[in-house]
Amino acid sequence: MEEILTMVEEFDRILVLGCGGCTTVCCAGGAREVETLATLIRMDRKQKGKPVETLEAVTELQCEPESVKPILEKLANQYDVVLSMACGAGVQTVAQLFPNHNALPALNTLFTGRAEEHGVWTENCLACGDCVLWRTGGICPVTRCAKSLMNGACGGASEGKCEVSKDRPCAWQEIYHALKRLDKLHYLKQEPQVKDWPVHPGKVVREDLREGEATRVD
Amino acid sequence: MSSFEPLIAVFSCHYCSYAAADLAGSSRIQYPPNIRIIKVPCTGRVSANHILKALERGADGVYVAGCLEGTCHFISGNYKAQKRVQYVKALLSEINIEPERVEMHFMSAAQGSKFAAVAAEMTDVIKELGPSPLNHSRY
Amino acid sequence: MGKGVLVIGGGIAGIQTCLDLADQGITVYLVECLPCIGGKMAQLDKTFPTNDCSICIMGPKLFEVERHPKTHLLAYSEVEAVSGQAGDFTVKVRKKARYVDEEKCTACGLCAEKCPVTLPDEFNLGMSTRSAIYKHFPQGVPSVYTIDKSACRVFQGKKCNICAKVCEAKAVDYEQEDTVFDLNVGAIIVAAGFDVFEPSDIKAYGYGTIPDVITSMEFERLINASGPTGGHLERPSSLNTKTEVKQLERRIRKAKARVKSLEKDGGRSSEEIQETLERMNERLAIIRAREASLQEVKEIAFVQCVGSRDFRYNRHCCSFGCMHSVKEAIVAIEHSAELQSTIFFTDMRAYGKGFHEYCMRGASEYGIRFVRGRVAEIGQGDEDRPFLWCEDMETQEVNKHPFDLVILATACVPSKGIEKLAKMIGFELDESGFVRTDSNTPTSTSANGVFVCGCAQGPMDIPSSVSMASAAALMAGRTLKALG
Amino acid sequence: METELRIGVFVCHCGINIAGVLNIEDLCRYADTLPNVAMVQANVFTCAQKGTSEIEKVVKEQGLNRVVVAACTPRTHEPIFRACCQEAGINPYFFEMVNIREHCSWVHRHNKVYAQAKARDLIRMAVARASFLEPIGTFSSRVEPKAMVIGAGVAGMTCALAIADQGFEVILLEKEVRMGGLLRHLHKIAPCDVTASKLIGEKVAAAEKDDRVKCFTSARVEEVTGCIGNYVVKFSSGQESYTDKVGVIVVATGGVPLEPVDLFNYDGKRVITQSQLEARLKKGDIEAKSVVMIQCVGARIPERNYCSRICCMVAIKNSLHMKKAVKDAKVFVLFRDIQAYGVENEALFLKAREEGVRFIRYRLDNPPVVEDGRVRIYHPGMGKEVSLPADLVVLSTPIVASSDSEDLSKVLKVPVDENKFFLEAHPKLSPLDFATSGIYLCGNARFPATVREATYQALGAASRASIILSHDTIERVGTVAAVEAELCSGCFVCVKVCPYKVPRMNENGKAEIEPMQCQGCGICVAECPAEAIRFRYASDEQITAACNALHAPQEIRSEN
Amino acid sequence: MSLKAALESGKFVVTAEVAPGKGTDVEHLLEDAAVIKERVDAVNVTDLQSSVMRLGSMAFSHFLTDVGIDPVYQVTCRDRNCLALQSDLLSAWALGIKNVLALTGDHPTMGDHPKARPVFELDSVSLLDVIGKLNSGVDMAGNELKGKPDFLPGAVVNPGADNEAALDLQIMKMETKIKAGAKFFQTQGVYDLDAFEKFMKRVEGFDAKILGGIILLKSVGMARFMNKNVAGVFVPEPLIQEIKAAENKAEASINIAVRLVEGMKDLCHGVHIMALGWESKIPQILDTAGL
């Protein structure tokens, strides 16, 4: 929060821009949070005797230029800075579309996860590009083992919990149970695995989906 | 500062605390005139934003008054409210506003005297804290 | 279902049974002899054990009875004759003339303000006054005024007509007459309620002679915000003194004016009037002094089982007297924290849901003193404070205690009209005079198609009355289905 | 653009209740300066017919479209004024009430200046809120003309038979193997000496004979969904599972007598409970010449701080039966307070005394002591301790809530009180209703009751239930939450937070809230991260408007 | 005798362990090592134990070779990616280090730089695999080396896993480690000889030497601390009580260690004593245990 307040310190007209997509689902960056953040900023600034104007808006999907463009164009000239409550992708979309405006991130994108229960999310995928779920009983050792071990548990677990945190189950023990249920325990008696850490592609292109002429294949 | 009369917003649920306030009234239990009740069907209806807005718009303190633990007419609305109050407290400390300005209280429809006592207590707490940092201009 | 149901009595039992029937789609005729429905519950200040304001929780129900499309509210009416049998009763009802057009009256109250007659107000049990044209109580339903024929100057052949003159709605109609009509109903529910025992029968308690000995019902009005003191707890003796001061002052003012006018007109004064004036001034000085020394109520005694559990009066227990007193003790202390309440009781009958807890709270949070013992005698002590003699059954000690106010928890006795009704309709009463039923069919009277609920059946608290009222509604509805 | 807002403010004197403290004229003048206020009027008693008809008249004459009444509490008077708005031709929810009596004049009597300021604030907040009021309509749904009664003791069976008698089908569930409840084990019922087993036997026979009553024993309620008029109930009976639809549910699960483990040397042989005594009396298997009964065993103590209502009468009744069963038997009843309320009970109490049953009072701080064959007790009349012969000691224990009442309360989503008895909607005026509409209660499940009381409660509950069943449809007011599909991001938060599990995801990945099931708490509304749930009854705009109006604005700004 | 030779000889092998400190001071550590020089076959040097930043394992291992002690160079995967690891291994060999213990390593959150970025690009198994590759003269990418090492690769196993799944996992991983080239195992601290015996039965016939781990219990507080904070170690309550009841705590502690050594003599191929500063006590323990 302090970070955000420092970021926007020098601006007097702030557009707090939420995202209706994934961030809303994770209860961050939706209309409600946008309102909360805007209110907090106003309160902070009022306190400091430097009142500020805030605008609030929510894009449907902030990583999608088509969704961002009309909203920002409509609000053009009403703000000095966009405080984006989207993931990094959203912030960068805004920055790219409107290079003359400051686009600041209000969220720290933590991970890609799924909802465990309301208010609890677990990190389940690192987008590592080398999925091993098929042989780990559907439990990802990359994200759920604190050390991303590929060849079985370390010796640090106690009572089925990870050495790093008692709140965190030992992923490998979970994998063990899962494979046992599936009668696939032999997957664990494997050849040593070296994880392939791919270079992040930076861009993925699927020609079949792309607009424009098909490239001729001779 | 002795003349400081704080303004305190109270989110009261229809079933318990509002009724308690009514009872305080019909029992003529006198309490400080600093509170302003905003009635909601259940304290579960009160969002963090409502509490923040009340503060932003000049309340020196805000409290949410729900049913007694375990007796919420809507089962768990009062607990939800309690969590949101906690959340708001955390947010407030981030912008250097005393979290004590926001509180959660529980009371039954039959506790008119508790309603009055809570109103008095909150008034004392806020008087002690002084005007909200957002309201300096007012005093 | 062509035929409807007749409900006799517009107290909480009658109201509940009426609403249950109406909600089931059955036509109901609710007959109440007083000008407004509400019954005893409407007179209560609070209800135990939640301390809900009585009229506040009851108010919406009163309105519902009036507004419900299936109900016919016949207030200020009496049942005169009943014939026929279950499924087909013919009921003769007399709707008494109010001398005010119910349709036109807007209950603005101007008539009552201007009416020159004052007489004791029944709703406040005579502790305040009303005029000859009046409304039974402020929140009363139907919300219309009524002329009390026995007090109105017009009906005594005197010159007046003031109310008719001031009424903007032109609702006053001295020519109005009672209307008598027949209702054809399939079933009858008796919800005639109860009466409060008249404690002046017990000479040793001094009720009626000692001003600060009152009944629990009177206390309800005395602490009620819409009661005679606006909710300020005052001893009746203080009230009397204050009233006397005001009356004397008024008379002195009149006498002075008369002297003045005599002097002006005839240039002489009447010695006779001067003499009276002097006497009045002397008297005023005395009672003013007394008024100045009036004390706030500090100590209250509650005397239980007044006329109940007593072979001389009523053997039965009034069922709610203990709780009623605990509630009044608590409410009194809520009015004034310094107040001390003492309850003199035989057995503490706190047998309902939340009742025992309520008593415990009364003792621990409100400091109510509970003394087990029957009060033998109440007398007028020094400084105008009543005292009472009581043997504490725990310690076997007989003590004399002075109090500022003594409240008698009076017995619940059958309502005066119930005997007449029983004869008219043909149902039996038990030895105590309540309507006889048996425990397997607790709402059925001995007469087929005639049901009972609430205190007409026997002393009971509000939730029991309400439960039983619903039960009676079901039974009456069932009779209609079978025979109606 | 919507038509111009025209708010009417009506300030009530409430006789002197309000006017005695607040300056009504000032309030009226002040209200007149507020935005959108078209007219202000004061009444002596706004709720009186004159007041309401005045509002109707003024609304029509002045073309008002929002009404604010500053008077007493909306909890009792809102319905009256809503109806009044409707009569006047505007939506009943275009109404806002300010409580300047209970929340102001009555509680700040000695502080008139601040009370006046507070009243102004409250009126300003209400007017602000009124500007955002939305019309709310009603909707209706069909009623399943069938009831479920849980518990087949005397209350449950009486209720089930009464509902069946009204022509409706009834599902009657009993958790035990046999129907009949507590009465199966009892001897005679006071005061008429009805044989308990005969009474209950007749009811069981009637229930089994009645085609409309479907009896299930060894039954358990597994799940209840839906709402008034349309409850979907899943229950099991033995090994079988059933699902059915009912319009209403009656809880008549009864209670059980407390087993006095570790109290007064209870051993089930020489020191027994009243129910064990009744079983012996029933069998005729009793010889004790001298019996001591102890009242309030495990009741009216800090851990179980309630009076169980019926035990005194049970003891009195049984002491009379003892006198009858054993010639010259001596019976002592050690009590704290005898609860012989009313006519019949007091008469029976007198009779017991006439027949020589001895009643000795004891205090909680000096309880009787049970020794082998004797009971020691301080006798207040004699002023000393006495030792009573006791061939048999009978302990009167309270009825306690059945062990499964909490589970059932969760399945039905209805509350229990601190003693685990089911908690009615209002202890005075809705003793047989739950706050959740369409569910009712009677008998010991509510609180200990005599057979007479349980019977009329059962009939009463049947009456309450029949009110719903006797209509083909029920109407409900739309004070419910509704999802705005285009804003919904499909995050499932509402699905998870709803205490009644009402919201669901539809095939488009959007949340949906069935209005008939929605209880209108607003929890999901406050939780939805996308603010996609509308709640017209207490919308964000309304609440925010009230917050915004906490302070008088420096300058009155016109909204339009 | 080198560790390799000792293991091959079939004798009951004894190894000990030292942990470099925070800072550049190595003198007193070398003094500690000197005390036991004659009594042990090798001394492990820990690699930033418990994720606490310290002097490096390679440097200190090198110092040990200088004083004539055969070091076991511990390498964790926490702090280095595969480039650094391979390079370090080559460097170590060049500095005369011949034994490597491949570990995954504790997570940084457990140490004094909890926000340090953990690498874990390889884990203990793949590290063993890499050591094998280097020994065979190629790097991970298959490039040939000019001059190759000939490490004796070792690994660790925790026989005291507290549930069946964890133990199964440990044993399966142990098999994988052997496949990946581990020649010897040093176990996590053992306190329960019965459990250790059961473990040894399960790994009977595994093609690797097993040295039972012994951590000296210096105090009750330390035992409790380990139970609470050290991953994979559990001190049974009776042992804690034993120390608590003893007048001379050090003696009690030594007695326990002696019993463990004696017990292990018939169960496995050697012991690995983690003295944690009490190196001076090791000779006494070995004497009493008759080694």
Side-chain angles (χ1 to χ4, degrees), chain B residues 19 23 25-29 109-113, chain C residues 46 50-53 224-226 230 334-335 366:
Chain B
L23 184 58
S26 53
S27 316
R28 311 295 193 282
I29 304 173
Q111 289 179 315
S113 48
Chain C
K46 298 278 163 56
T50 47
N51 281 8
D52 279 315
C53 155
N224 188 272
S226 53
E334 282 183 343
H335 273 245
Y366 296 88

Side-chain angles (χ1 to χ4, degrees), chain C residues 165-296:
Chain C
K165 280 180 214 149
V166 298
C167 180
E168 289 182 1
K170 303 280 168 252
V172 176
D173 173 11
Y174 304 113
E175 307 298 313
Q176 203 180 55
E177 283 178 7
D178 291 0
T179 45
V180 180
F181 49 90
D182 282 347
L183 295 174
N184 188 228
V185 293
I188 299 173
I189 296 175
V190 179
F194 68 102
D195 279 346
V196 172
F197 171 75
E198 176 55 49
S200 50
D201 289 359
I202 308 177
K203 296 278 178 274
Y205 284 177
Y207 176 80
T209 57
I210 308 169
D212 294 329
V213 175
I214 60 171
T215 66
S216 47
M217 212 54 173
E218 285 167 343
F219 185 73
E220 292 290 339
R221 298 315 303 157
L222 207 52
I223 48 172
N224 188 272
S226 53
T229 61
H232 184 69
L233 183 52
E234 276 207 78
R235 303 165 66 190
S237 58
S238 311
L239 269 184
N240 293 347
T241 308
K242 285 183 182 169
T243 321
E244 203 185 332
V245 169
K246 271 188 207 134
Q247 282 172 350
L248 259 180
E249 283 172 347
R250 200 165 57 221
R251 280 170 57 200
I252 291 171
R253 265 202 310 278
K254 273 192 183 166
K256 278 187 180 160
R258 180 121 176 81
V259 170
K260 235 181 210 168
S261 76
L262 279 175
E263 279 174 349
K264 198 177 154 199
D265 290 354
R268 64 189 174 90
S269 67
S270 161
E271 277 177 27
E272 206 181 315
I273 294 173
Q274 281 291 6
E275 222 170 87
T276 325
L277 196 59
E278 260 164 50
R279 271 207 312 277
M280 286 196 293
N281 274 324
E282 277 165 33
R283 170 81 186 144
L284 184 64
I286 298 169
I287 54 170
R288 273 214 173 125
R290 196 197 295 164
E291 188 186 40
S293 67
L294 285 179
Q295 300 280 322
E296 290 278 304

Side-chain angles (χ1 to χ4, degrees), chain B residues 26 28, chain C residues 10 15 35-39 41-45 53-66 73 107 121 123-124 134-145 221 224-227, chain D residues 12-17 44-50 52 72-73 76-77 80-81 101-102 106:
Chain B
S26 53
R28 311 295 193 282
Chain C
I15 287 169
C36 296
I37 55 170
M41 185 177 166
Q43 284 177 286
L44 300 179
D45 180 52
C53 155
S54 189
I55 191 65
C56 300
I57 55 175
M58 197 186 197
K61 288 209 184 250
L62 302 180
F63 278 99
E64 221 181 317
V65 168
E66 194 183 33
L73 175 52
D121 178 352
F123 191 78
N124 281 332
Y134 69 111
K135 196 174 164 197
H136 190 45
F137 62 101
Q139 304 92 333
V141 168
S143 187
V144 286
Y145 277 70
R221 298 315 303 157
N224 188 272
S226 53
Chain D
C12 183
H13 288 255
C14 197
I16 57 155
N17 279 307
V44 179
F45 283 105
T46 313
C47 64
Q49 207 157 35
K50 181 179 178 230
T52 55
C72 56
T73 174
T76 53
H77 284 72
I80 297 163
F81 295 120
R101 193 178 72 177
E102 277 87 344
W106 280 356

Side-chain angles (χ1 to χ4, degrees), chain D residues 192-269:
Chain D
C192 310
D193 281 353
V194 180
T195 306
S197 50
K198 184 163 170 278
L199 174 84
I200 203 69
E202 284 167 5
K203 292 212 189 266
V204 173
E208 281 170 348
K209 208 180 110 196
D210 197 321
D211 290 341
R212 291 164 302 202
V213 182
K214 306 264 181 295
C215 306
F216 295 88
T217 52
S218 306
R220 228 179 81 94
V221 185
E222 307 283 354
E223 190 188 282
V224 174
T225 52
C227 57
I228 179 169
N230 281 291
Y231 283 108
V232 179
V233 293
K234 284 187 187 159
F235 60 94
S236 63
S237 169
Q239 300 301 312
E240 302 283 313
S241 289
Y242 303 86
T243 302
D244 211 335
K245 280 180 95 174
V246 296
V248 293
I249 298 170
V250 181
V251 176
T253 47
V256 286
L258 176 81
E259 167 133 26
V261 181
D262 293 334
L263 292 174
F264 297 100
N265 294 339
Y266 167 74
D267 60 6
K269 296 183 193 99

Side-chain angles (χ1 to χ4, degrees), chain C residues 184-419:
Chain C
N184 188 228
V185 293
I188 299 173
I189 296 175
V190 179
F194 68 102
D195 279 346
V196 172
F197 171 75
E198 176 55 49
S200 50
D201 289 359
I202 308 177
K203 296 278 178 274
Y205 284 177
Y207 176 80
T209 57
I210 308 169
D212 294 329
V213 175
I214 60 171
T215 66
S216 47
M217 212 54 173
E218 285 167 343
F219 185 73
E220 292 290 339
R221 298 315 303 157
L222 207 52
I223 48 172
N224 188 272
S226 53
T229 61
H232 184 69
L233 183 52
E234 276 207 78
R235 303 165 66 190
S237 58
S238 311
L239 269 184
N240 293 347
T241 308
K242 285 183 182 169
T243 321
E244 203 185 332
V245 169
K246 271 188 207 134
Q247 282 172 350
L248 259 180
E249 283 172 347
R250 200 165 57 221
R251 280 170 57 200
I252 291 171
R253 265 202 310 278
K254 273 192 183 166
K256 278 187 180 160
R258 180 121 176 81
V259 170
K260 235 181 210 168
S261 76
L262 279 175
E263 279 174 349
K264 198 177 154 199
D265 290 354
R268 64 189 174 90
S269 67
S270 161
E271 277 177 27
E272 206 181 315
I273 294 173
Q274 281 291 6
E275 222 170 87
T276 325
L277 196 59
E278 260 164 50
R279 271 207 312 277
M280 286 196 293
N281 274 324
E282 277 165 33
R283 170 81 186 144
L284 184 64
I286 298 169
I287 54 170
R288 273 214 173 125
R290 196 197 295 164
E291 188 186 40
S293 67
L294 285 179
Q295 300 280 322
E296 290 278 304
V297 180
K298 292 245 168 54
E299 283 180 86
I300 309 184
F302 291 88
V303 179
Q304 298 307 109
C305 301
V306 175
S308 357
R309 301 185 69 188
D310 188 331
F311 280 32
R312 296 167 300 172
Y313 308 103
N314 299 286
R315 293 192 170 202
H316 66 259
C317 158
C318 70
S319 283
F320 47 68
C322 290
M323 295 309 295
H324 196 160
S325 293
V326 172
K327 177 203 70 185
E328 291 186 341
I330 288 179
V331 172
I333 296 164
E334 282 183 343
H335 273 245
S336 157
E338 292 99 78
L339 212 139
Q340 170 70 54
S341 297
T342 308
I343 299 180
F344 295 89
F345 68 103
T346 319
D347 285 289
M348 186 43 63
R349 294 196 165 161
Y351 55 86
K353 198 172 186 175
F355 291 7
H356 180 67
E357 297 91 313
Y358 190 64
C359 291
M360 295 290 106
R361 221 167 58 235
S364 64
E365 283 177 34
Y366 296 88
I368 299 173
R369 281 202 301 148
F370 289 91
V371 178
R372 194 184 292 274
R374 250 187 132 121
V375 172
E377 196 187 327
I378 303 169
Q380 179 73 286
D382 311 334
E383 300 165 16
D384 295 336
R385 295 177 86 200
F387 63 85
L388 54 81
W389 284 102
C390 176
E391 180 188 346
D392 186 324
M393 284 155 82
E394 307 275 359
T395 61
Q396 321 289 312
E397 281 167 20
V398 180
N399 287 317
K400 183 181 170 184
H401 310 262
F403 286 97
D404 299 316
L405 191 60
V406 176
I407 293 149
L408 307 177
T410 40
C412 161
V413 298
S415 64
K416 284 181 196 78
I418 195 74
E419 231 171 310

Side-chain angles (χ1 to χ4, degrees), chain D residues 2 45 58 76 88 138 152 246 252 263 271 295 339 381 470 500 527 547:
Chain D
E2 212 195 328
F45 283 105
V58 174
T76 53
T138 59
V246 296
L263 292 174
V271 182
Q295 300 305 108
Q339 306 294 343
S470 60
Y500 302 94
E527 204 87 6
C547 292

